[in-house]
Amino acid sequence: MIQAPDLPPWAALIVGICLLLGASVTLIGTVGLVRMKTFYERLHPPTLGPTLGTAFILMASITCFSAMQSRPVVHEILIAVFVTLTTPLTLMLLARAALYRDRLAGDMSVPGDDDNGPSSPAVTRDAQGSPPPN
Amino acid sequence: MSHLLLGLAITAAQILLGLAMACASFRILRGPRAQDRVLGLDALYLAAMLLLLTYGIQTGRTLFFEAAFIIALLGFAGTVALAKFLMRGEVIE
């Protein structure tokens, strides 16, 4: 089903190109999520979607609604700011949780904790007797 | 002409985002450990949000923008809660 808003040609060009670019970048990121081998490698590719993919699609949305209502519509910037702020936060929390679980499980391939900060779990080094790497 | 091309571009972008959602759900279903599934959920809600934005462009309604914004807000809270659960074993201490 082909349906599109009535836009002037310059706006249609910008909207179409931005949409295709943003969707392709997001798809590349999730394909990386499928193809990477370990969890710590898999953390990296999905960050393409929240940054470049969201930026392109929001740019398309801003252009489309601004051209349709003939005034600048910028409330999409809310989503951009929010996603840009929250994605590194969630992925870092997730990475720390995974690191904590791997250390608890006694996985030797993850680095031990050599910063004994207040929030870092002091679990593995004494339990395994292995020196910290590097 | 530009109308038709824009329609094709919007539909192609929706198909690409649907494929992205399929890849993310593959990681949710297959992911060997719990953190892989949470990561897949994160990618899934983000692709769904972008898909809603393309529907908003297609129909010209601002309702889809509100839905996308709510998905962005609640998806963040969900991923943080799940990461906290993986780390501590409970969400609210």
Side-chain angles (χ1 to χ4, degrees), chain B residues 5-27:
Chain B
L5 279 183
L6 179 61
L8 281 177
I10 291 175
T11 309
Q14 283 166 350
I15 291 173
L16 289 179
L17 285 172
L19 283 178
M21 286 177 72
C23 290
S25 6
F26 170 81
R27 188 44 77 192

Side-chain angles (χ1 to χ4, degrees), chain A residues 110-131:
Chain A
V110 301
D113 63 337
D114 44 9
D115 56 339
N116 283 308
S119 66
S120 69
V123 272
T124 55
R125 202 188 311 163
D126 293 332
Q128 298 171 11
S130 62

Side-chain angles (χ1 to χ4, degrees), chain A residues 23 25-36 39 42 45-47 49-50 91 94, chain B residues 15-51 79:
Chain A
V25 166
T26 311
L27 178 62
I28 288 170
T30 46
V31 166
L33 183 66
V34 169
R35 287 182 58 96
M36 293 278 169
F39 172 75
R42 266 180 230 133
T47 52
L91 291 187
L94 197 57
Chain B
I15 291 173
L16 289 179
L17 285 172
L19 283 178
M21 286 177 72
C23 290
S25 6
F26 170 81
R27 188 44 77 192
I28 292 182
L29 295 175
R30 179 76 188 281
R33 304 187 63 197
Q35 50 262 39
D36 295 298
R37 297 176 204 270
V38 178
L39 191 59
L41 183 69
D42 194 72
L44 179 70
Y45 89 73
L46 205 112
M49 190 197 81
L50 296 181
L51 189 60
T79 313

Side-chain angles (χ1 to χ4, degrees), chain A residues 1-9 11-12 15-17 19-20 22-24 26-27 30-31 33-36 38-39 42-43 46 49-50 53-54 57-58 60-61 64-65 68-69 75-76 78-79 82-83 86-87 89-91 93-94 96-98 100-102 105 107 119 121, chain B residues 2-4 6-14 16-17 19-24 26-27 31-36 38-40 42-47 49-51 53-54 56-62 65-66 68-69 72-76 79-80 82-88:
Chain A
M1 187 179 68
I2 307 292
Q3 181 191 356
D6 283 323
L7 291 180
V15 168
I17 289 177
L19 272 181
L20 282 180
S24 314
T26 311
L27 178 62
T30 46
V31 166
L33 183 66
V34 169
R35 287 182 58 96
M36 293 278 169
T38 68
F39 172 75
R42 266 180 230 133
L43 268 177
T54 308
I57 291 187
L58 287 177
S61 183
C64 173
F65 284 103
M68 271 182 1
Q69 305 185 8
H75 53 243
E76 278 88 354
L78 271 178
I79 288 187
F82 194 77
V83 167
T86 55
T87 303
L89 200 66
T90 55
L91 291 187
L93 269 176
L94 197 57
R96 288 184 79 95
Y100 177 79
R101 284 163 65 91
D102 278 345
D107 191 348
S119 66
Chain B
S2 74
H3 188 262
L4 176 66
L6 179 61
L8 281 177
I10 291 175
T11 309
Q14 283 166 350
L16 289 179
L17 285 172
L19 283 178
M21 286 177 72
C23 290
F26 170 81
R27 188 44 77 192
R33 304 187 63 197
Q35 50 262 39
D36 295 298
V38 178
L39 191 59
D42 194 72
L44 179 70
Y45 89 73
L46 205 112
M49 190 197 81
L50 296 181
L51 189 60
L53 280 175
T54 61
I57 293 177
Q58 192 178 33
T59 57
R61 289 185 198 160
T62 52
F65 167 79
E66 325 276 340
F69 191 57
L73 285 170
L74 292 186
F76 162 68
T79 313
V80 167
L82 282 171
K84 187 115 166 64
F85 178 75
L86 287 184
M87 193 140 173
R88 300 280 185 180

